[in-house]
Amino acid sequence: MIETQALGKRYGDLVAVDGITFKVEPGQVLGFLGPNGAGKSTTMKMIAGFLAPTSGSAKVCGFDVETQPIEAKRVLGYLPEGAPSYGEMSVRQFLGFIAEARDIATDMRRKRFDDAVGRLNLEGVLEQPIETLSKGFKRRVGLAQAILHDPKVLILDEPTDGLDPNQKHEVRTLINAMARDKTIIVSTHVLEEVHAVCSRAIIIAKGRVLADATPAELEARSRYHQAVSLTATDTRAAREALSRVADVAAIEVDAQDGRITAFPKPGKQIFVAVNQVLQERNIVVRELALEGGRLDEVFRTITQGRAQEAQA
């Protein structure tokens, strides 16, 4: 549904996107991650046909975005960064304008309008000028225009930016519901969003793909993967007990909250042994958890490692 091949964008000597290649299949929600300036928005703009690539190609549902721009845009919904719109228009006027621009059949416009407005809970602001809306409502209007024509492909740049926790939950629920029959790319810097909606994640930095895997596979790269964390009434005794577990490679104590983390030796599982030694020594534990891995730590390791290589 979405395919890029050696996609690149240069501005003079500045390389914004450096030969990115990937495919996104129907039913997938791809999280596009990277630090500021990594090339996320530039890549999405090229896929959406908003920017012309300097090199390489991008296809949407088999249509090349440069040689078949109308066909590609017809099957694509795009929410740009910042959710730009016409502030002097009311929400109703703006969505009506989008319906005309998208050439939605007259007999389908009411159905598509009602569906988009209902999904984004915009009924109460339909007659209000967009420039008077809160940032969260402007973002919802932007999402409504992106799904108004029921596209097969969605490209969403920071779709929950500016939304409160309840609104974020609503949008994530909407993305999950639409993922059944659409292909979706979501650019985000909120790592919890990757867990909430993404079946796959790509991490880029300096315009290059550094990782492409499921969220679980990325977490498995974390040094916290299969680690055991706990809080105990007697931190010193708990730490001493953990040091007796043969497959514990290292123990760390958080200086702020006293949380203890025991790291396993490569390929080892220590949860059962840790639990057993704590019980044997009658150490009172307030919390005991097996870590799946920490995506934020993996993100920092991958992107900062790349930055250090570039400097070298």
Side-chain angles (χ1 to χ4, degrees):
M1 297 291 270
I2 300 175
E3 180 179 1
T4 70
Q5 186 66 41
L7 192 64
K9 183 66 178 178
R10 288 176 175 267
Y11 297 96
D13 294 332
L14 174 65
V15 180
V17 177
D18 190 6
I20 285 182
T21 298
F22 64 86
K23 291 182 181 180
V24 192
E25 303 294 345
Q28 282 189 338
V29 180
L30 174 67
F32 218 45
L33 309 175
N36 290 335
K40 301 188 302 296
S41 292
T42 302
T43 300
M44 298 176 89
K45 287 176 182 177
M46 288 190 287
I47 297 171
F50 188 77
L51 279 179
T54 307
S55 58
S57 64
K59 292 182 178 180
V60 179
C61 296
F63 300 113
D64 188 286
V65 298
E66 285 196 283
T67 61
Q68 299 168 291
I70 300 300
E71 293 87 347
K73 291 172 183 175
R74 185 172 285 128
V75 295
L76 182 145
Y78 177 41
L79 173 66
E81 184 179 16
S85 59
Y86 295 102
E88 70 277 9
M89 287 185 176
S90 70
V91 174
R92 185 186 298 278
Q93 289 171 331
F94 178 64
L95 293 181
F97 164 72
I98 296 296
E100 289 188 33
R102 285 288 186 183
D103 197 24
I104 299 175
T106 304
D107 59 340
M108 286 294 294
R109 287 186 186 181
R110 171 53 62 182
K111 180 181 178 181
R112 296 305 316 146
F113 179 89
D114 290 343
D115 179 70
V117 167
R119 283 175 181 256
L120 277 306
N121 297 318
L122 293 171
E123 294 88 348
V125 296
L126 284 176
E127 311 308 329
Q128 195 168 327
I130 294 174
E131 63 189 1
T132 67
L133 298 176
S134 67
K135 185 177 181 181
F137 266 110
K138 288 177 181 177
R139 179 68 53 170
R140 287 202 253 176
V141 172
L143 274 166
Q145 67 79 25
I147 67 172
L148 188 64
H149 58 300
D150 193 23
K152 294 180 180 179
V153 173
L154 277 172
I155 297 179
L156 309 176
D157 201 347
E158 302 286 356
T160 62
D161 183 41
L163 303 186
D164 64 36
N166 290 333
Q167 293 168 341
K168 285 183 179 181
H169 175 73
E170 290 171 0
V171 170
R172 290 168 183 169
T173 300
L174 173 61
I175 291 172
N176 284 326
M178 292 191 299
R180 299 189 193 102
D181 58 357
K182 298 186 188 302
T183 302
I184 303 174
I185 296 181
V186 178
S187 171
T188 182
H189 62 272
V190 181
L191 295 180
E192 68 179 65
E193 204 144 90
V194 177
H195 287 286
V197 301
C198 298
S199 54
R200 177 179 160 207
I202 283 179
I203 297 177
I204 72 170
K206 302 292 184 181
R208 291 187 177 181
V209 174
L210 304 184
D212 183 350
T214 67
E217 288 169 343
L218 288 174
E219 286 182 333
R221 301 187 189 186
S222 169
R223 65 188 292 258
Y224 287 90
H225 182 60
Q226 296 298 316
V228 177
S229 61
L230 61 101
T231 54
T233 55
D234 189 336
T235 302
R236 183 175 179 178
R239 182 171 184 173
E240 195 278 330
L242 294 179
S243 67
R244 304 283 181 175
V245 178
D247 289 329
V248 169
I251 301 170
E252 293 181 3
V253 180
D254 191 296
Q256 292 186 329
D257 59 10
R259 190 176 188 82
I260 305 169
T261 303
F263 297 91
K265 293 178 181 178
K268 300 295 183 179
Q269 306 236 347
I270 60 173
F271 184 83
V272 173
V274 165
N275 190 37
Q276 184 176 344
V277 75
L278 292 171
Q279 291 182 6
E280 288 174 352
R281 298 192 172 220
N282 295 317
I283 295 173
V284 179
V285 175
R286 293 191 294 269
E287 183 181 0
L288 180 68
L290 177 65
E291 296 262 5
R294 299 184 184 179
L295 194 55
D296 59 339
E297 181 238 347
V298 175
F299 178 86
R300 287 194 303 272
T301 300
I302 291 174
T303 56
Q304 290 176 357
R306 174 66 186 174
Q308 291 167 359
E309 287 178 15
Q311 289 175 354

